[in-house]
Amino acid sequence: MDFGMRNRLSKIFNPRTGKTVMLAVDHGYFQGPTTGLKDMGNIIPLIPHADCLFATRGILRNCIDPKIDTSVCLRVSGGPSILGELSKEDITTSMEEALRLNASGIGMSIFVGAKNEDRTISNLGRLVSEAERYGMPVLAITAVGKDMGRDARYIGLACRMAAEIGAHIVKTYYSEGFEEIVASCPVPIVIAGGKKLPEMDALQMTENAVKAGAKGVDMGRNIFQSDSPIGMIKAVRSIVHKGLTAAEAFDIYQKSKKSGVSENINAAMEKV
Ligand code: R5P
């Protein structure tokens, strides 16, 4: 692996812990103005608490201050809306754009078990081949086909396929038997949070995933849809980077919520 690739990966995975808290705010690329992201100004105070921001080019260009310290992983696939056949996704953003935006990684979805799974897998293969010419890590996101369960067998299949095709990082959902999924995937796995859960449940899922070998999270709704987004990202961060339990992290969330601390960019000082 060359310097550029390793350097970019070190902007995603915190070199002090080898893990990452990625903040996913790309949902609008197929869901439109999702709850919590209608006004992207809401996510600005969260950015300093993340190791990496996962977003589309439209959001980066229009809503994010280029002076942020947090690295960026760029969503480069899209096409169908939530109303259409999601597996018809294609690559929508070029490598040139990823380099111009100074991305530390690029991400696309694969739809194993869905109608157009083969097309999304060959897109991933082409993207990896191109990305490797520029030392750009590729994050493959294993979206779940409508008829597939979120169990270890299916998620294990999707993660292993993504790694075999060449993804450098895999994002998937947490499921029972996650140790098995991690053990059979030769590249780092981060978990998506999925739909909004009660805060304690989301933190427990994070603890379980990290204990099972996940290298962190690329989490969105369970952070930005929380009643205390700053409290949640701090809590998630404490599990991922400091090994706190979900119960200990919940305390951090509650204290932050109660204190009503001004949720501003100076909180960057509290990063691990
Ligand atoms: C799908 O919209 C994106 O890939 C999200 O980045 C991913 O699902 C993570 O977000 P959440 O934690 O809300 O599931």
Side-chain angles (χ1 to χ4, degrees), residues 23-31 54 75 109 141 171 173 191-196 218-224:
L23 176 63
V25 295
D26 60 317
H27 305 60
Y29 90 95
F30 75 106
Q31 293 183 8
F54 187 57
R75 153 75 67 179
S109 299
I141 300 146
K171 167 161 79 169
Y173 293 99
I191 61 155
K195 285 187 183 150
K196 174 76 175 66
D218 185 12
M219 191 175 276
R221 288 162 288 182
N222 278 291
I223 293 173
F224 61 70

Side-chain angles (χ1 to χ4, degrees), residues 77-89:
S77 68
S81 77
I82 197 164
L83 307 175
E85 170 53 54
L86 291 177
S87 68
K88 278 189 180 165
E89 270 196 16

